[in-house]
Amino acid sequence: MNVLLETAKAEITIKNSRFIAEVFSAANQKSAREILKKQKALYFDARHVVHAFVIGNNKEILGMSDDGEPPGTAGRPVLDVLKGSGITNVVLTVSRYFGGTLLGTGGLVKAYGAAAKAVLSIASTEPLVEKKQFSFSVSYSLYENTKLLLNRLNATDLCEKFETSIHINGNIPLANAKELLENVFDLTKGSQTVIFDE
């Protein structure tokens, strides 16, 4: 199972209709809805903004919309491509600018599926690694060593607050959580502990 590293965009034209496909990371349904809302605002002049999403470690949450296209001709083919891609925690939108020629139901299925495949073919992914959120504080004198430790343990999404001490939070691969806990305890001579969100 893979997850997206960054957003990607591809465009195809079929019988003068433009299909703009974009793919985004979405950790949950709420973030998928927020992305869709932004896409609909961005492509307010498009005839349709079709979407599909796959969320969860086992791809257990699925969703899609034809957004006014004939039922089963747009959202379903996009979702089918997503399900077959091996990518999760992802939302894919296809914005269509009508070119004046009707494509028919078979043509729509092919067009939306092709747009979805086009964007996924250029999308960068990485293996899904279960992560845990963490937070802890360190003194300014330990900051550089702490940064080296977090880098070595592949911590991501770091947020640092510089106050009387430095408060750090972020995500770490589950496999490295115990090592982070032990190292911070040793580094701070037992004065600080790492708190993990359940």
Side-chain angles (χ1 to χ4, degrees):
M1 192 81 66
N2 290 327
V3 289
L4 207 60
L5 276 173
E6 56 192 10
T7 60
K9 181 178 181 177
E11 183 175 331
I12 63 171
T13 303
I14 297 171
K15 294 187 179 173
N16 296 324
S17 277
R18 289 172 60 212
F19 294 85
I20 303 164
E22 291 169 272
V23 66
F24 306 86
S25 289
N28 50 47
Q29 283 178 284
K30 184 179 178 218
S31 59
R33 282 193 293 272
E34 285 166 2
I35 289 164
L36 183 60
K37 193 174 168 186
K38 285 179 187 164
Q39 290 297 91
K40 283 185 171 274
L42 182 63
Y43 295 105
F44 67 92
D45 55 342
R47 178 72 66 94
H48 307 279
V49 180
V50 168
H51 79 276
F53 60 81
V54 175
I55 294 167
N57 290 354
N58 300 306
K59 302 203 280 193
E60 60 271 17
I61 303 168
L62 308 172
M64 63 175 184
S65 166
D66 294 312
D67 193 40
E69 292 282 28
T73 62
R76 171 62 60 194
V78 171
L79 181 60
D80 288 345
V81 169
L82 259 187
K83 280 166 48 181
S85 71
I87 303 171
T88 191
N89 297 343
V90 64
V91 59
L92 197 157
T93 65
V94 181
S95 306
R96 180 187 182 194
Y97 287 90
F98 184 57
T101 304
L102 293 173
L103 301 180
T105 55
L108 287 171
V109 169
K110 281 170 82 171
Y112 279 103
K117 285 177 188 164
V119 73
L120 290 179
S121 72
I122 60 167
S124 299
T125 61
E126 68 178 354
L128 172 65
V129 174
E130 203 173 338
K131 295 185 178 179
K132 215 165 173 57
Q133 274 192 308
F134 68 84
S135 63
F136 64 92
S137 298
V138 292
S139 64
Y140 281 81
S141 62
L142 297 175
Y143 179 65
E144 286 306 318
N145 285 342
T146 303
K147 289 291 282 185
L148 292 170
L149 171 67
L150 291 171
N151 189 38
R152 184 172 61 78
L153 296 179
N154 300 314
T156 57
D157 308 314
L158 294 175
C159 178
E160 301 166 342
K161 284 189 188 144
F162 295 86
E163 295 167 343
T164 51
S165 60
I166 303 166
H167 185 73
I168 303 170
N169 60 46
N171 292 306
I172 191 159
L174 195 56
N176 297 346
K178 186 172 184 256
E179 194 176 342
L180 177 66
L181 185 70
E182 291 167 352
N183 278 268
V184 168
F185 186 84
D186 291 346
L187 200 61
T188 63
K189 296 184 174 45
S191 69
Q192 294 295 325
T193 188
V194 179
I195 297 164
F196 293 104
D197 291 354
E198 289 305 320

